[in-house]
Amino acid sequence: MNKSLLITGGAGFIGSHVVRHLVNKYPSYMIVNADKLTYAGNLQNLTDIENADNYRFEKIDIVNEGEVFALFDKYMFEGVIHLAAESHVDRSISTPNEFVYTNIVGTVNLLNASRKTWNDHEGKVFYHISTDEVYGSLGPEGLFTEDTPYDPRSPYSASKASSDHFVRAYHNTYGLPVIISNCSNNYGPNQFPEKLIPLAINNIKTGRKVPVYGKGENIRDWVYVEDHAEAIDIILHKGVTGETYNIGGNNEWKNIDLVYLLCELMDQKLGRPEGESASLITFVKDRAGHDKRYAIDSSKIATELGWKPAHAFREGLSKTIDWYLDNQKWLQNVLSGDYEKYYEEQYLKR
Ligand code: NAD
Ligand code: DAU
């Protein structure tokens, strides 16, 4: 093995795609997935590679400094791709403290451990995976660039913005070799059904109402999760330390239009009469502080590193729906915890 890489949050949605991608593509790297296995982490996401020679799993909580330092002592990592986080905006509105601990304190623990381990910075990188939500909310025009001032507006985005600031501060103060990328909304297989697309797919399948916040006029830019994993690989290998890269799908959708498209595709796949799934759409009370629009200018990663998304949206959505319909056991498993309690608080009492 010629390189030891730590992936945090590798049992989660994006992390599991990144782990699989790197384990399969780089047999000479030792890929260590460190994850607390919260409600969002699931080792069933990785059964196909769990026995690979170049893969190890370590159950740790990044908020626990002792566990983080012991992990670095064990593996002497040369690179870190940091994805572990509390990731759901609605949960950050009801329980913000968890977001402070994991997203801020957890990130600082990893920065400290990297700093202590890396006397020599040659070939080392601390790569922080962040979100476009740190830039705030756009009006009808314009795009987030890497120079857009930070303006986080939810507890989730405030915690991610804070962690981004710590990462840059460690570069400026201690010379730690860091990279940050800020990506728009991901979709694809293995996403926990609290986020719009998997929640809508599951509700349409089971005949539950499909909740659309407010009037459904908020806009998000969507990128297929495997395209994001490919971008992370490219940034890891070709990105310049100290730099930030925005990642987006150039694919803006109003929530209501996206939900109608999902309903249309589901009618076709389930053999339902046209319009049957759409009858489940229900407008519910808006999310507090709901950001209006996110849209990304990803020309920097395109021109400097040669990445662009490979999946067209309809194709990606179709693959995503097929995956959920074919993986009902996975779905039942992730829904078996406290999901109904969460659903009741979030939707039935809304
Ligand atoms: P996710 O919620 O699906 O997965 C998060 C993972 O982190 C889980 O496996 C969980 O067990 C783990 N984790 C949580 N707390 C932990 C702790 N204290 N110690 C160790 N592990 C812990 O999240 P995701 O959607 O895959 O997002 C991954 C990263 O990408 C996050 O940093 C998120 O902010 C960022 N991001 C997500 C999106 C998106 O659309 N999902 C877009 C841009 C950036
Ligand atoms: O932009 C990147 C971010 O995208 C990531 O950093 C976050 O981790 C990720 O969760 C995602 O945040 P959003 O809040 O945009 O994603 P979510 O799927 O929760 O919501 C997408 C849009 O759909 C948003 O405008 C709120 C709306 N929505 C969401 C849910 C869950 C609904 O209308 N109904 C719903 O039931």
Side-chain angles (χ1 to χ4, degrees):
M1 300 287 164
N2 67 11
K3 199 180 207 139
S4 174
L5 270 185
L6 168 64
I7 321 277
T8 69
F13 166 48
I14 302 171
S16 60
H17 288 271
V18 173
V19 166
R20 176 177 302 100
H21 179 97
L22 296 176
V23 164
N24 288 334
K25 189 164 166 189
Y26 301 104
S28 66
Y29 293 4
M30 172 55 75
I31 306 293
V32 179
N33 169 16
D35 197 298
K36 182 183 172 184
L37 302 181
T38 67
Y39 78 93
N42 184 357
L43 288 177
Q44 282 184 0
N45 293 343
L46 291 165
T47 43
D48 53 325
I49 55 103
E50 67 189 359
N51 295 319
D53 289 340
N54 63 335
Y55 173 71
R56 300 284 181 279
F57 173 70
E58 297 279 351
K59 187 170 187 298
I60 73 149
D61 181 351
I62 59 168
V63 179
N64 184 320
E65 192 182 20
E67 288 182 19
V68 171
F69 275 72
L71 186 76
F72 274 73
D73 285 346
K74 182 170 174 187
Y75 289 100
M76 301 302 288
F77 299 113
E78 288 157 288
V80 176
I81 308 180
H82 175 36
L83 296 109
E86 287 294 335
S87 69
H88 192 37
V89 173
D90 291 322
R91 288 185 196 253
S92 83
I93 293 168
S94 38
T95 54
N97 288 28
E98 283 306 309
F99 289 70
V100 174
Y101 300 135
T102 289
N103 299 1
I104 307 176
V105 178
T107 300
V108 174
N109 284 340
L110 290 160
L111 288 166
N112 286 335
S114 304
R115 190 176 156 231
K116 177 177 167 253
T117 309
W118 298 340
N119 298 321
D120 164 15
H121 290 163
E122 186 60 35
K124 313 291 193 304
V125 66
F126 186 101
Y127 177 9
H128 181 55
I129 306 303
S130 192
T131 171
D132 60 355
E133 300 198 9
V134 297
Y135 298 123
S137 179
L138 290 165
E141 301 295 325
L143 302 171
F144 296 134
T145 73
E146 287 80 2
D147 297 324
T148 301
Y150 274 32
D151 181 24
R153 294 156 44 91
S154 72
Y156 164 71
S157 55
S159 69
K160 291 297 288 186
S162 174
S163 59
D164 287 5
H165 288 322
F166 270 102
V167 172
R168 288 198 184 94
Y170 272 59
H171 179 67
N172 185 58
T173 310
Y174 309 112
L176 199 76
V178 308
I179 299 182
I180 298 177
S181 60
N182 298 82
C183 188
S184 59
N185 287 57
N186 285 219
Y187 71 100
N190 307 93
Q191 187 170 30
F192 191 84
E194 63 189 352
K195 309 281 165 57
L196 177 64
I197 289 179
L199 183 128
I201 294 171
N202 186 42
N203 283 18
I204 294 167
K205 164 86 176 25
T206 55
R208 233 173 181 176
K209 289 177 178 167
V210 179
V212 174
Y213 297 167
K215 293 182 179 156
E217 283 174 355
N218 302 63
I219 294 171
R220 297 292 182 264
D221 170 68
W222 295 93
V223 63
Y224 193 62
V225 64
E226 286 176 9
D227 289 336
H228 188 191
E230 174 71 22
I232 289 172
D233 176 4
I234 292 173
I235 291 171
L236 177 75
H237 289 96
K238 299 207 295 193
V240 177
T241 56
E243 292 290 317
T244 297
Y245 298 92
N246 279 355
I247 304 169
N250 201 15
N251 178 39
E252 286 180 56
W253 282 79
K254 241 185 217 178
N255 291 338
I256 187 65
D257 296 339
L258 165 54
V259 169
Y260 270 113
L261 174 59
L262 278 173
C263 288
E264 179 196 319
L265 293 171
M266 290 288 283
D267 279 345
Q268 288 165 14
K269 287 183 191 285
L270 297 172
R272 288 180 179 168
E274 201 184 314
E276 186 172 312
S277 298
S279 68
L280 297 167
I281 294 174
T282 309
F283 294 96
V284 299
K285 188 174 164 216
D286 209 351
R287 173 185 280 174
H290 197 173
D291 287 342
K292 181 74 185 171
R293 174 173 167 256
Y294 305 144
I296 284 268
D297 175 351
S298 47
S299 53
K300 179 175 173 182
I301 184 174
T303 51
E304 293 184 12
L305 306 183
W307 175 87
K308 59 178 177 29
H311 288 80
F313 195 44
R314 259 184 178 265
E315 172 209 347
L317 271 188
S318 178
K319 275 171 77 166
T320 304
I321 294 170
D322 289 345
W323 187 86
Y324 281 94
L325 295 180
D326 292 346
N327 286 275
Q328 290 293 309
K329 224 173 146 190
W330 179 94
L331 206 50
Q332 278 159 17
N333 180 46
V334 300
L335 298 183
S336 65
D338 285 343
Y339 187 77
E340 281 309 316
K341 201 165 149 241
Y342 166 79
Y343 197 88
E344 190 184 327
E345 288 294 326
Q346 193 56 238
Y347 295 104
L348 305 181
K349 292 187 184 162
R350 209 178 176 96

